[in-house]
């Protein structure tokens, strides 16, 4: 009989903002927004004090300025945040070798066999939180559960500085009242379709007829959603699968001004990235676009994709959208164009792994 697993999901609270507060304690307790002000800026993240005014990640800066005019703004220092992220990762190694970084401020830890059961993992989680606070001056929220999906849901339930345990028996009480958007794989489009058929909460997935669910999202998605709604998720914690990125950029001898030339450049970069993803058998969650104009203004814009992908068509579609909606060339042409992807995961993570061929 396979034993129950013990999985932790650790997610720092207001990560960039919390680091800035640590660096300058005068900012503590005040609304703080990380991002660039102005017409084309977006919010990277903000302190929980700013969230009380409705400010959120990815919100246009103009909206954030209106909601919270008294906030302090800082542009963000990626080098600093990446450094803290790396240091915190080494701290996890003191608890288990099975650590899977998911993003700059998130990781799954597998404590199966190290913690005897979920309750003893709670003590380990408390120790991790204490050490992150003491050694790095910021707070984290942790979810403890028998699998990755439930652990991730749990870490989000009592943010900031939360610690929530979801055992299998807690699934009806804790998971079922949550909105279906919490289910891994339910993006805005799927959610809209489900809402039309009266699926609103996770519990609705279990309660309403499976045939209705199948007719709405197809057989394989229906099976996937019902498993999650029952709190089941077999995905392993994959150690050594570093959260990396892939990118490529090109500087042009003469600035690109023609829309077709720019579109071709976007397509070429997308093709390059998707080839590299396929070569490494990875899919990406986030696309980054970098554009330097003839007058040396540099734009960097990112978009989270609906689903992780390695497909050129999806990457180029997102790149076109970012380019047309979030970049203002003004009178200039394009001097440099770069595309990158992050949030990488194994291409087959959500499928049944193939058996490796026997070595002769
Ligand atoms: P999150 O963990 O999503 O956000 P957070 O840590 O700021 O806040 P929370 O307490 O809700 O976890 O993302 C981690 C960092 O990634 C965040 O501090 C800034 C960056 N980020 C962006 O730059 N843009 C985005 O749209 C999001 C969601 C995050
Ligand atoms: Mg976070």
């Amino acid at each position: 009989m396979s034993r129950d697993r013990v999985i932790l999901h650790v997610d720092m609270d207001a990560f960039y903002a919390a680091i800035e507060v640590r660096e300058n304690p005068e900012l503590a307790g005040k609304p703080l927004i990380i991002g660039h002000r102005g017409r084309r800026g977006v919010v990277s993240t903000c302190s929980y004090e700013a969230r009380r005014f409705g400010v959120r990640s990815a919100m246009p800066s103009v909206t954030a300025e209106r909601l919270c005019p008294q906030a302090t703004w800082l542009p963000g220092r990626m080098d600093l945040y990446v450094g803290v992220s790396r240091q915190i990762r080494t701290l996890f190694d003191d608890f288990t070798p099975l650590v899977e970084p998911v993003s700059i401020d998130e990781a799954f830890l597998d404590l199966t066999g190290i913690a005897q059961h979920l309750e003893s993992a709670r003590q380990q989680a408390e120790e991790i939180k204490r050490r992150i606070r003491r050694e790095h001056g910021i707070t984290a929220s942790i979810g403890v559960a028998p699998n990755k999906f439930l652990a991730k849901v749990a870490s989000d339930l009592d943010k900031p500085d939360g610690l929530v345990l979801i055992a299998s028996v807690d699934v009806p009480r804790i998971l079922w009242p949550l909105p279906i958007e919490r289910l891994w794989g339910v993006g805005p489009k799927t959610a809209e379709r489900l809402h039309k058929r009266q699926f609103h909460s996770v519990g609705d997935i279990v309660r309403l007829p499976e045939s209705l669910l199948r007719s709405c999202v197809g057989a394989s998605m229906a099976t996937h959603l019902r498993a999650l709604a029952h709190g089941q998720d077999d995905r392993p914690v994959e150690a050594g699968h570093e959260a990396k990125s892939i990118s490529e950029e090109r500087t042009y001898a003469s600035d690109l001004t023609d829309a077709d030339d720019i579109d071709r450049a976007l397509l070429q970069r997308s093709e390059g990235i998707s080839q590299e993803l396929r070569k490494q058998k990875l899919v990406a969650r986030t696309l980054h676009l970098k554009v330097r104009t003839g007058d040396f203004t540099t734009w960097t814009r990112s978009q989270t994709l609906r689903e992780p992908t390695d497909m050129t068509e999806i990457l180029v579609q997102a790149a076109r959208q970012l380019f047309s909606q979030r970049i203002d060339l003004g009178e200039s042409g394009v001097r440099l164009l770069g595309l990158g992807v992050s949030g990488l995961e194994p291409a087959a993570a959500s499928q049944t792994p193939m058996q490796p061929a026997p070595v002769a």
Side-chain angles (χ1 to χ4, degrees):
M1 196 187 83
S2 71
R3 66 197 295 177
D4 287 341
R5 293 187 297 157
V6 179
I7 310 293
L8 266 55
H9 180 256
V10 186
D11 187 335
M12 309 311 143
D13 304 314
F15 188 53
Y16 298 179
I19 294 172
E20 294 293 349
V21 171
R22 176 190 87 175
E23 298 294 302
N24 177 7
E26 280 181 14
L27 296 170
K30 297 181 188 153
L32 169 66
I33 300 176
I34 310 299
H36 292 276
R37 293 178 106 126
R39 207 162 56 84
R40 285 182 178 264
V42 284
V43 173
S44 291
T45 190
C46 61
S47 64
Y48 277 76
E49 288 79 8
R51 292 184 200 196
R52 268 183 225 127
F53 293 86
V55 181
R56 294 287 179 269
S57 285
M59 175 180 274
S61 296
V62 283
T63 313
E65 287 184 286
R66 182 164 45 74
L67 290 171
C68 189
Q70 68 274 49
T72 304
W73 286 71
L74 289 172
R77 298 183 269 179
M78 270 324 279
D79 291 354
L80 174 63
Y81 312 147
V82 169
V84 177
S85 172
R86 291 215 180 100
Q87 287 168 356
I88 291 176
R89 254 175 231 173
T90 63
L91 179 160
F92 295 150
D93 294 337
D94 291 346
F95 293 82
T96 171
L98 274 179
V99 178
E100 180 185 0
V102 187
S103 73
I104 189 164
D105 82 328
E106 251 180 284
F108 287 107
L109 279 62
D110 190 333
L111 294 187
T112 312
I114 294 165
Q116 291 311 307
H117 39 66
L118 293 183
E119 270 306 328
S120 59
R122 185 201 291 275
Q123 288 162 21
Q124 305 253 24
E126 272 165 2
E127 178 62 14
I128 292 172
K129 278 163 59 86
R130 245 193 315 273
R131 283 193 54 188
I132 292 175
R133 186 197 290 272
R134 207 185 310 133
E135 295 168 26
H136 301 284
I138 62 173
T139 62
S141 294
I142 303 187
V144 182
N147 60 52
K148 283 166 108 173
F149 166 64
L150 289 177
K152 174 137 174 118
V153 168
S155 72
D156 203 40
L157 284 179
D158 193 26
K159 260 184 168 294
D161 205 12
L163 173 50
V164 175
L165 190 152
I166 304 183
S168 299
V169 292
D170 301 323
V171 163
R173 179 175 59 86
I174 300 180
L175 186 65
W176 289 358
L178 299 177
I180 45 163
E181 284 82 353
R182 293 291 183 106
L183 294 173
W184 164 58
V186 177
K189 266 191 175 164
T190 309
E192 198 186 314
R193 233 180 299 143
L194 286 163
H195 289 160
K196 281 194 188 131
R197 302 287 186 93
Q198 303 310 312
F199 291 97
H200 298 288
S201 69
V202 175
D204 292 337
I205 303 275
V206 177
R207 281 186 289 263
L208 295 173
E210 191 173 358
S211 53
L212 186 63
L213 184 62
R214 271 203 302 264
S215 70
C216 184
V217 296
S220 77
M221 186 68 168
T223 308
H224 164 77
L225 293 182
R226 279 182 80 90
L228 290 183
H230 279 109
Q232 292 159 1
D233 172 22
D234 291 334
R235 287 175 298 161
V237 171
E238 299 192 83
H241 157 223
E242 267 296 306
K244 314 167 266 195
S245 62
I246 295 172
S247 64
E248 57 171 65
E249 60 182 48
R250 203 180 137 186
T251 304
Y252 298 93
S254 55
D255 296 354
L256 305 181
T257 48
D258 186 75
D260 285 345
D261 291 343
I262 294 172
D263 197 66
R264 201 168 308 120
L266 287 170
L267 185 60
Q268 283 165 349
R269 297 292 81 76
S270 303
E271 259 167 12
I273 301 270
S274 82
Q275 267 171 20
E276 188 58 32
L277 282 168
R278 287 197 292 265
K279 199 167 95 193
Q280 298 194 34
K281 298 192 170 37
L282 294 169
V283 287
R285 281 185 182 282
T286 308
L287 180 79
H288 309 270
L289 171 68
K290 176 174 164 188
V291 175
R292 185 166 299 139
T293 56
D295 63 0
F296 280 87
T297 312
T298 304
W299 301 84
T300 52
R301 293 289 181 258
S302 302
Q303 185 179 325
T304 302
L305 304 165
R306 254 189 242 290
E307 282 170 42
T309 189
D310 60 3
M311 290 171 65
T312 310
E313 303 85 87
I314 295 180
L315 294 176
V316 76
Q317 205 181 356
R320 283 177 179 140
Q321 205 178 352
L322 277 177
F323 189 90
S324 61
Q325 296 176 4
R326 307 268 306 281
I327 286 178
D328 186 3
L329 285 182
E331 301 297 310
S332 305
V334 173
R335 182 182 160 78
L336 172 150
L337 193 137
L339 274 188
V341 285
S342 63
L344 306 184
E345 55 188 67
S350 56
Q351 297 154 16
T352 315
M354 293 200 312
Q355 291 301 314
V359 179

